[in-house]
Amino acid sequence: MKMRVLCFWLFFGFAGAVFSQQNNQNAGNDTIAKPVMGHRVEMGETVMLIARKYHITPDDIYELNPDAVHGITFNTVLQLPADKVRAKAVEKKHSTASAYANTAKPKGF
């Protein structure tokens, strides 16, 4: 009888430990880091202008930057949700810079 009770407690004790470990591993999945990209605030920019520039909502910016609710300042780096930013907004920013770089050089060089 003692042997059966001991086997019973060992079996269910081991199964309970494995089950609780799986639950702990699944609980950590809620805190997976979201992909972000940075934006350095230029003179005169507002949260609304930045949101419009990247085709996101101001709430998306406030979610990652809670201090921005009180205002943003020049040269501050804001985090933007990279999965929500439209590719055209980022390409447009880079394409204008590369177009300027290509036209700024004299033809003889």
Side-chain angles (χ1 to χ4, degrees):
M1 179 69 175
K2 289 182 182 181
M3 187 61 135
R4 286 185 183 173
V5 172
L6 180 62
C7 289
F8 176 80
W9 285 113
L10 286 175
F11 176 74
F12 283 107
F14 178 76
V18 170
F19 180 75
S20 66
Q21 184 178 9
Q22 288 176 348
N23 284 344
N24 289 340
Q25 288 175 349
N26 292 338
N29 290 342
D30 295 339
T31 59
I32 294 176
K34 296 180 181 180
V36 295
M37 61 180 281
H39 172 81
R40 186 172 300 275
V41 178
E42 296 175 7
M43 191 66 79
E45 280 187 323
T46 63
V47 172
M48 183 60 81
L49 290 173
I50 295 168
R52 199 175 296 159
K53 184 178 191 176
Y54 290 102
H55 303 282
I56 58 176
T57 64
D59 290 334
D60 293 332
I61 296 174
Y62 293 139
E63 184 179 331
L64 294 173
N65 308 284
D67 294 338
V69 174
H70 305 294
I72 57 174
T73 58
F74 172 69
N75 245 359
T76 302
V77 177
L78 296 176
Q79 293 181 349
L80 306 176
D83 56 342
K84 292 185 179 181
V85 171
R86 289 194 186 165
K88 287 184 180 181
V90 177
E91 287 175 15
K92 189 175 184 180
K93 183 178 178 181
H94 292 294
S95 66
T96 56
S98 63
Y100 176 76
N102 291 337
T103 59
K105 296 177 185 174
K107 297 267 182 187
F109 291 98

